[in-house]
């Protein structure tokens, strides 16, 4: 396995854990500084994750699919738009995004643990030159990688004879 692939597996794993925590957090509704920092951080993390995960997943047979099905928050798109259901598709949309937005949504008061209310990040939205703006669940993205793709990647990384499939 090439060093760049090994590096990408490691970086994607780290970013997946970061994305997991960022997508699981509650943010104060009334604190713009925290919201802006979370927005910037999520864009940076999801972008780095997508690039490294996509590069690493090149060694997995392309017919293997990893569904985005493990949501942290119960949500549905609040406006028209596709909800991306596959890890590979989501990674490609993020990498090739011309528009990439973080979606903040309010939590019901009985769920919020923050005085004054809380918001969460149940999705990011990505639009490419070929695909319209679509919803991608960052928690599901992380989960699909950590519990779906990563075990196959670690097996290939730790088994030098296998080397991966191109």
């Amino acid at each position: 396995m090439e060093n760049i692939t090994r590096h990408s597996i490691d970086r994607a794993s780290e970013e997946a854990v970061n994305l997991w925590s960022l997508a699981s957090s509650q943010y104060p509704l009334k604190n713009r500084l925290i919201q802006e920092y979370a927005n910037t951080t999520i864009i940076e993390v999801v972008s780095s994750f997508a690039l490294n995960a996509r590069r690493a997943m090149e060694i997995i047979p392309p017919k293997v699919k990893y569904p985005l099905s493990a949501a942290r928050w119960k949500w549905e798109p609040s406006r028209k738009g596709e909800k991306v259901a596959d890890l590979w598709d989501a990674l490609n949309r993020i990498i090739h995004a011309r528009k990439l937005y973080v979606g903040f949504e309010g939590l019901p008061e009985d769920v919020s643990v923050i005085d004054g209310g809380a918001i969460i990040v149940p999705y990011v939205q990505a639009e490419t030159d070929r695909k319209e703006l679509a919803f991608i669940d960052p928690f599901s993205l992380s989960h699909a990688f950590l519990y779906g793709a990563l075990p196959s990647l670690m097996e290939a990384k730790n088994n030098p004879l296998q080397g991966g499939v191109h």
Side-chain angles (χ1 to χ4, degrees):
M1 177 182 299
E2 295 294 327
N3 284 339
I4 188 69
T5 305
R6 289 178 185 281
H7 174 75
S8 288
I9 292 169
D10 294 342
R11 289 294 300 147
S13 300
E14 293 166 6
E15 297 297 14
V17 172
N18 287 337
L19 192 56
W20 181 294
S21 64
L22 290 164
S24 296
S25 295
Q26 295 185 26
Y27 301 96
L29 178 63
K30 298 179 181 178
N31 191 312
R32 191 76 186 148
L33 178 64
I34 292 174
Q35 292 171 18
E36 288 173 3
Y37 183 80
N39 185 75
T40 301
T41 303
I42 291 166
I43 293 291
E44 290 171 355
V45 169
V46 79
S47 296
S48 176
F49 167 73
L51 177 67
N52 284 293
R54 172 70 171 68
R55 181 182 293 137
M57 288 176 62
E58 288 283 332
I59 66 171
I60 297 173
K63 65 183 178 201
V64 178
K65 299 293 180 196
Y66 301 99
L68 301 183
S69 57
R72 165 64 176 93
W73 307 104
K74 291 183 182 181
W75 67 280
E76 287 300 323
S78 54
R79 52 198 169 278
K80 184 182 173 219
E82 176 186 1
K83 194 173 176 180
V84 180
D86 174 66
L87 178 60
W88 187 266
D89 184 20
L91 297 173
N92 281 331
R93 287 176 192 243
I94 293 166
I95 290 168
H96 297 290
R98 289 193 171 180
K99 296 179 183 175
L100 186 61
Y101 305 113
V102 175
F104 288 97
E105 297 289 343
L107 269 182
E109 282 187 33
D110 62 328
V111 179
S112 172
V113 296
I114 299 174
D115 264 354
I119 54 177
I120 56 166
V121 178
Y123 57 84
V124 294
Q125 290 181 284
E127 178 181 292
T128 72
D129 60 340
R130 295 184 181 174
K131 299 200 176 189
E132 291 186 23
L133 199 62
F135 296 88
I136 301 168
D137 183 325
F139 182 88
S140 290
L141 194 66
S142 175
H143 188 278
F145 180 80
L146 292 170
Y147 289 93
L150 186 58
S152 296
L153 293 170
M154 293 307 291
E155 183 178 326
K157 183 179 175 184
N158 295 326
N159 184 356
L161 297 177
Q162 182 179 344
V165 177
H166 300 281

